[in-house]
Amino acid sequence: MTTASIDLASLLCSRLCHDLLSPVGALSNGLELLAEEKDPEMRARCFELLEQSAKASADKLRFFRLAFGAAGGFGDTVPVAEPRALVDALAGNNTRLQVNWVLGSDMLPKPAVKALLNLALIGIEALVRGGTLDIAAETHEGQNGDQHGQTTEIVIRAAGPRIAFDPAIGHALEGTLQLEALSSKTAPATMIHQLATSLGGGLQVHLTDEALLLGAILPTA
């Protein structure tokens, strides 16, 4: 394993820890409050907050397990219901965010699922004031139904009153990010760029005042 690969893995771990710190910290604080609280109504409220924090922690762990990790338990393909449920759960805590799906396949190759989840995460984080996240994915068969000639196309459109998109993430998706600019924030985009390149595919980024468009074309290995 190269030093660059080790650095990327370390930064992905840092990103995971950063995103889990808030809900796990809320669990710890809630338990401390519960130990001191005697009022029944306040205790009930503490239990409610603990339940919300536990769910948020579990949702993020399941999401990052498939988005960043090897995600054992799946074969070469993954039912589209799995990434859909993960994205819907991640976005569910934001009442100002609506997620729309257009899926042309029942199953997606595992690398395509990894790319879809990471691009969806970028789209969600760009919608700082809410909006709509449109996600479309379809796998096209190769000639004569040859599975090894398949290509998966993914398109994600994030539209809202304000689009907050770090140009460094765009550079990472396009493969033009300078090594010294690699961080826990740009590591996921760098990872899926490397993934797409290894498959002979590519990623696209287009930003306007109204929307952020992200795309991926991924041949099956």
Side-chain angles (χ1 to χ4, degrees), residues 164-213:
F165 182 64
D166 188 342
I169 295 177
H171 293 316
L173 290 171
E174 294 170 341
T176 59
L177 184 73
Q178 297 298 315
L179 185 60
E180 59 270 17
L182 183 62
S183 66
S184 60
K185 188 174 183 179
T186 57
T190 299
M191 178 189 67
I192 58 173
H193 166 76
Q194 293 182 0
L195 175 65
T197 300
S198 71
L199 295 173
L203 306 174
Q204 301 85 37
V205 185
H206 182 63
L207 178 65
T208 69
D209 292 337
E210 295 79 24
L212 169 66
L213 294 174

Side-chain angles (χ1 to χ4, degrees), residues 27 41 54-55 66 80 103-104 112-113 120 128 152 164 166 168 180 188 212 215:
L27 275 173
E41 290 187 7
K55 182 180 182 303
L66 190 51
V80 294
L103 299 171
V113 169
V128 291
T152 301
D166 188 342
E180 59 270 17
L212 169 66

Side-chain angles (χ1 to χ4, degrees), residues 93-104:
N93 293 326
N94 188 344
T95 58
R96 299 180 298 173
L97 181 61
Q98 178 181 342
V99 182
N100 303 312
W101 293 86
V102 178
L103 299 171

Side-chain angles (χ1 to χ4, degrees), residues 120-130 133 158-166 207 212 214:
L121 178 62
I122 293 170
I124 290 172
E125 293 181 336
L127 296 174
V128 291
R129 294 183 181 173
L133 186 73
R162 183 187 172 204
I163 307 297
F165 182 64
D166 188 342
L207 178 65
L212 169 66
L214 305 169

Side-chain angles (χ1 to χ4, degrees), residues 2 10 23 27 44 55 62 74 80 84 92 105 112 114 117 120 130 148 150 158-159 163 169 196 218:
T2 65
S10 299
L27 275 173
K55 182 180 182 303
R62 284 191 289 265
F74 297 104
V80 294
R84 178 170 183 167
S105 308
K114 192 179 295 290
L117 291 175
H148 296 288
Q150 290 179 342
I163 307 297
I169 295 177
L218 302 171

